[in-house]
Amino acid sequence: MKAFEFLRENNHDGLTVVLDKGLPPKFVEDYLKVCGDYIDFVKFGWGTSAVIDRDVVKEKINYYKDWDIKVYPGGTLFEYAYAKDKFEEFLNECHNLKFDAVEISDGSSDIPLEDRKKAIEKAKDFGFTVLTEVGKKMPEKDKKLTICDRINLINFDLNSGADYVIIEGRESGKGIGLYDGEGKVKESELEELARRVNVKKVIFEAPQKSQQVFFILKFGNSVNLANIAFDDVISLETLRRGLRGDTFNKISPISNNTQ
Amino acid sequence: MKAFEFLRENNHDGLTVVLDKGLPPKFVEDYLKVCGDYIDFVKFGWGTSAVIDRDVVKEKINYYKDWDIKVYPGGTLFEYAYAKDKFEEFLNECHNLKFDAVEISDGSSDIPLEDRKKAIEKAKDFGFTVLTEVGKKMPEKDKKLTICDRINLINFDLNSGADYVIIEGRESGKGIGLYDGEGKVKESELEELARRVNVKKVIFEAPQKSQQVFFILKFGNSVNLANIAFDDVISLETLRRGLRGDTFNKISPISNNTQ
Amino acid sequence: MKAFEFLRENNHDGLTVVLDKGLPPKFVEDYLKVCGDYIDFVKFGWGTSAVIDRDVVKEKINYYKDWDIKVYPGGTLFEYAYAKDKFEEFLNECHNLKFDAVEISDGSSDIPLEDRKKAIEKAKDFGFTVLTEVGKKMPEKDKKLTICDRINLINFDLNSGADYVIIEGRESGKGIGLYDGEGKVKESELEELARRVNVKKVIFEAPQKSQQVFFILKFGNSVNLANIAFDDVISLETLRRGLRGDTFNKISPISNNTQ
């Protein structure tokens, strides 16, 4: 039972995806007692998994599993393996380490669409939940993508079997994807996107509080958000429930205008 | 005994109020071994208490109590309960969870002065230490408050029985209360405030290091500071004692010009 | 064995110096399971050691020693003791607490060159690894140092017996040393420095990710970096190995152009 149970309302079914960039194992076990209920996926950011002991990686995945949280390595690790022609070994290692999901992306490399499709299908065949990511890591490359390019790729990935598509925002949330240099959302682009894709299948990387507030007020408290820092999970949950100043009195129960 | 005991000087009696926005319980126990001596109050920020398990909330409060630290839920939770006409239940739950203090505020809602006074009195009757807060969460509302409004409200709260009054700065410390958009202190407003209120009863939210330095150099190392991030408590204590570059050689023992 | 061992490459011998500004002891023990392999030195920042219990300081140093990590108190603590004519007591206490290294600096005070040399020699005589620091804590004082001043002092310190020289960047990495107000590296000054000192003996304080990326791309993945936040150690290791977008495909094995 939660404290102050009599104030409980504004339930939601928005996905929360946390960025774990190398948390210590016992700390993870401890921290899930506070916020394990509010996390759906954890990404071991970019290639961080590959510099950490196997035993520690497995121990952490186990703690997350205890709370029904799905864990996956960052897309950059997939790209790194793929570029070295070790996709099969990558999937086997993900399986052995007990990852539940994988991310297929092309943020740091170029992968033809046909190969992207095959990668998604192969990962699904292995039994993984598949998330893909749309966007480039380097701002100068990313800004060449029009909103139409992004929309087309989102729908391509979903049609190829991806379970969810993540919109790139990086750890900073600035000058990338749907964000301008200060981290403000480009609203007209977002609206175009919302008209042409199924927003329930999209997860927005929104590392900054102002961005989380924006998406919640725009799409309702069930909007899917990613790249949440581990120490912001509780804050995000209070934002979704109207328990923080920024969304106080602005959340309507079942306020999901994403459909 | 502290390390390097022979260097110990510049004692102070400034209050340090830490913002806990959802720390894991065992981590809290561990972390107090490092800085428990330097914390007077811990605020479980805004409505975070209401999304965390009762047992975890109680466990954490116990760890803090072991170090004589008083814990209270953020003012936003009071406002949330108050708006739903559940103030009595709120106070009972605070009592059952063993909170020592409560915060009465109107940062996210509007509460008539007479009701504010009654709320302070009722919380005092329940046996709580009462902190109030002056300021609005939304910058556009907050900037309508003149410095005279703030001063009058501080004195109103103290006359109503509040133990301390907190000056709003939020987690960011920017564009709110006494801070401009970059987080710099509006000095003439602060000086007006210092002339007309008892600064020993005021606690300044000062989340940024530059703000902590400013207040220490302005009012002496016994100035009361709040919204200190858990990982800045040790840094703040070194600032108060002249053990960091920013205040090195600038602290005079018993340098308290706040009276 | 690390996870995804088959992807392991881009080894390096760059030093990583972590800033510990008061981490809890059990957390340190836990966190080293994740990143202990990648840390060479830990600095207990500025005077933080002097406000923490001796037993806790010793316990933490022991955990670091288990991973062959050398620990030293920040230079500001040396300066504080030195200014009070307690250098001998300072060195004895460092010895008793089992610190492996000390930092000699003048960031917050002025110390004649001859005394600086003697301090370095005395610390060496006590058996400590000696790091010195070049730069002033206050931007207005620091900017009076020309790049030639910095270069001369680096070589002076190395000739006096210092093991490494740290280039000041502070916790923020802005408006200090080689960084402009936005934290960008002043490239022409850096190049002048690289021409005239042995870069293998220099450690650059580089708290921001963009700065870490810059130095790795400029000098190779074996460049020595300091003031790394504890939760950025894993990120830095992935940057050195080309496992993060910013350096993906940009690291050549044994890519060390610092010699």
Side-chain angles (χ1 to χ4, degrees), chain C residues 76-91:
Chain C
T76 303
L77 193 62
F78 152 75
E79 293 178 56
Y80 196 91
Y82 194 86
K84 296 187 186 311
D85 207 13
K86 296 192 174 173
F87 183 38
E88 186 102 13
E89 278 159 286
F90 171 80
L91 290 173

Side-chain angles (χ1 to χ4, degrees), chain A residues 21 46 48, chain C residues 209 212 232-239 244:
Chain A
K21 47 183 192 159
W46 55 98
T48 55
Chain C
K209 188 187 73 168
Q212 297 158 16
D232 283 336
V233 176
I234 286 293
S235 167
L236 173 57
E237 186 64 18
T238 60
L239 288 173
R244 192 169 187 180

